[in-house]
Amino acid sequence: MQLIAGNWKMNGSVALAEAIATPLAAAADGLACELLVCPPATVLAWTAQLLHGSKVMVGGQNCHAKASGPHTGDVSAPMLKDAGAAWVILGHSERRADHGESDAVVRAKAAAATAAGLQAIICVGETEAQRLAGQAEAVVAAQLEGSLPDGFAGVVAYEPVWAIGTGRTASEADVAAMHAHVRAVLVRLLGEGGAGMRILYGGSVKASNAASLMAVANVGGALVGGASLDAADFLAIARAAG
Ligand code: 13P
């Protein structure tokens, strides 16, 4: 079963959470995929309350590597769990760029998430310059090697940086090649666990391209940014998944 995850990024209010969660909760039973929404921390608990009893799951967009302590402005994995989250996105390229998150930091956060009982979605992906230089596969392999804790049992998301928020989606051939590469690295790193791990694609996924992207081999779902802020758009993507 594929996982369709919505990353609201730094968007969302109490009102928007309600506008998205209510139709998702009503539609989730009839879908062939799993649905996850990742609102900002301010409305995570409220969104989780709205979705309580539905099949739609809730996740955070980041967590600290420590469980508690003097880290002003940060949110820990146990705090996300307490607020109703079952998942957390880690190592998104925007956090790697905006906050200088290294692979080692992402790895520590993923270990903290697992310890708190959260499922982690670890993001990887190359920049346009790296792709043009022929380094895309090496960059992604290095990110996986550095970011995944030993025995990692969550989800990986491949999000080429140049396709995020740009309207430019990777071609089906590029997605097929990179997801096969990610699969091979996961098997090398994790053995059996890597063979079955879901690999999400992210980067300008929308209703019009979801069906073809979700049909590509080794694509286990989507990590959706902009289109996850509209319930109808997000559900159209979910209906294209299996
Ligand atoms: P867009 O779907 O807006 O391109 O964002 C993708 C993304 O970064 C999801 O994490």
Side-chain angles (χ1 to χ4, degrees), residues 7 9 92 94 159 163-165 203-205 223-226:
N7 175 8
K9 308 192 180 183
H92 191 282
E94 288 153 11
E159 299 204 303
I164 294 176
S204 299
V205 176
L223 185 52
V224 185

Side-chain angles (χ1 to χ4, degrees), residues 16 19 21-22 27 53 55-56 62 81 83 96 102 112 114 123 137 139 143 187 190 200-201 205 216 226-227:
L16 186 73
T22 307
K55 283 167 79 175
V56 187
N62 171 51
K81 177 96 174 162
R96 290 178 186 264
S102 64
T114 303
C123 303
E137 294 200 348
V139 165
Q143 287 176 329
V187 168
L190 301 166
L200 311 184
Y201 169 78
V205 176
V216 174

